[in-house]
Amino acid sequence: MQIGIDKLSFATTPFYLDMVELAQERGVDPNKYLIGIGQEKQAVVPPTQDAVTLGAAAALKLMTPELKKRISTVLVATESGVDNSKATAIYIKRLLGLPKFTRVVELKEACYAATAGVMMAKGLVAMDPQSAILVIGTDIARYGINTPGEVTQGAGAVAMTITANPRLLELDQVSVAASDDIMDFWRPLYSENAMVEGKYSTQIYIDFFLQTFRRYQEMTGRRLADFDALLFHLPFTKMGKKALDALLGDCNDVNSRRLRSALTASQLYCRQVGNLYTGSLYLSLLSFLQNGQASAGQRLGLFSYGSGAEGEFYSGVLKPGFANQLNDVSVDLASRQQVTVDEYEKMFDSQLGLTESDVSFETSKDPSPFLLSGQVGHQRQYQVNK
Ligand code: COA
């Protein structure tokens, strides 16, 4: 039975910050951010958005009345969860109006967890081929104002359905996962911002990529010539270049040129949004499909990485008509409003965060489909934007 991704969509916040303006404000050469890190714009999060509203917004873009009836399970991957007990997926399911008889759960292992969702969904579809599994990766990447990680912040969500006879990407049988207890990035329960050993994390990422890819090659016999693109989790776009360079070295043959050109296409959306954490790899996929030389029958390799650490390399084959199964990300990005560094800092500091108090947010300036309007009696208040 063919199983894979049937539809894929993306949502982000309505605001962005220009990285040249941030560099000037921080007294940094803008080329460090634009070239050294590889980021141009960064999604800025108003207090009215969180992992729930972003995840629901991404899923809304692929929803149809027929699909609502077919979804048996909602798997929401996030490291920006809003409750230590209650799953983000419950709120999202309610906002989407999915039926009562739906299984929901939240998954966590840093930026890797959406891929765990894809793999689990594959198993669920194998047991019930009529069903569709909704997998969402939704996050807000926060490192803190004036920290080295600030330029690699971002926010957004991807949503995808995993089904039998997929119309976008048929997944190959072999995938290679690996894990190790490593402190390269983490977020203690008392902190709203991530802790990161950035350069150590970069090295671990590359090690996991090379190890999982080589094992995949041993298991399948596939070589670089068998891939039309290698797609990466992108905490910042330079990370993808570092990983591909570690594999290709100085090689400039036809395979290397094809893979480098595909990487450039896959980095375009991340460059405009920043790190999505769980959704990042799948935004790279969307970016390649909408900006690269993608065509039906191509085999794509996907490398998922989550600090802590876990990595997985897997692959799939593009289906005819795949372009009709995506939302047009460039339209979303073009409709965003630019904010100043001062406005970004104010929004950064006005998130609901860890407060115990009742809070009410001004919602009229946020055009997103779902809103967090505040907190009452320790309960987050969500609403559909009419
Ligand atoms: N023009 C062009 N490039 C420049 C430059 C300039 N004026 N100034 C610096 N650079 C380059 C550096 O040479 C370096 O390139 P390299 O990485 O290829 O060597 C790059 O810009 C970054 O500079 P560096 O001084 O190393 O950056 P930093 O100490 O500020 O840290 C990160 C950068 C990415 C490590 C930091 O932002 C971070 O930790 N981010 C979080 C990463 C993360 O999320 N990891 C976990 C998930 S996988």
Side-chain angles (χ1 to χ4, degrees), residues 51-125:
V52 168
T53 58
L54 288 167
L60 183 68
K61 292 183 184 181
L62 51 73
M63 210 50 70
T64 62
E66 296 71 37
L67 183 59
K68 277 189 186 179
K69 289 186 209 143
R70 258 184 92 190
I71 291 174
S72 69
T73 303
V74 181
L75 302 174
V76 177
T78 184
E79 52 187 301
S80 319
V82 298
D83 192 290
N84 285 325
S85 177
K86 186 164 172 165
T88 308
I90 290 262
Y91 294 107
I92 292 178
K93 184 209 131 174
R94 195 246 300 163
L95 290 171
L96 293 172
L98 296 179
K100 169 118 183 170
F101 296 103
T102 308
R103 181 187 294 114
V104 295
V105 74
E106 184 170 309
L107 306 172
K108 178 167 67 184
E109 183 3 66
C111 305
Y112 163 75
T115 298
V118 169
M119 297 303 151
M120 290 171 186
K122 203 173 150 190
L124 288 168
V125 171

Side-chain angles (χ1 to χ4, degrees), residues 291-303:
N291 303 297
Q293 305 291 318
S295 63
Q298 290 181 341
R299 173 164 279 110
L300 313 181
L302 295 94
F303 176 64

Side-chain angles (χ1 to χ4, degrees), residues 28-38 79 110-111 141 143 147-153 184-186 194-202 204-205 233-236 238-239 241-242 275 277 305-308:
V28 172
D29 178 353
N31 281 337
K32 173 172 174 181
Y33 289 179
L34 297 173
I35 301 164
I37 305 280
E79 52 187 301
C111 305
Y143 293 88
T147 60
E150 184 179 36
V151 63
T152 65
Q153 294 178 150
D184 60 333
F185 169 109
W186 65 104
M195 320 252 156
V196 62
E197 298 288 340
K199 295 194 170 108
Y200 179 49
S201 185
T202 299
I204 300 291
Y205 176 119
H233 163 59
L234 296 175
F236 48 100
K238 181 77 162 290
M239 188 66 243
K241 176 176 170 7
K242 284 173 187 273
N275 194 356
Y277 286 166
Y305 177 76
S307 294

Side-chain angles (χ1 to χ4, degrees), residues 10 44 112 149 156 159 204 251 306 311 358 385:
F10 164 78
V44 172
Y112 163 75
I204 300 291
C251 194
D358 284 2
N385 200 357

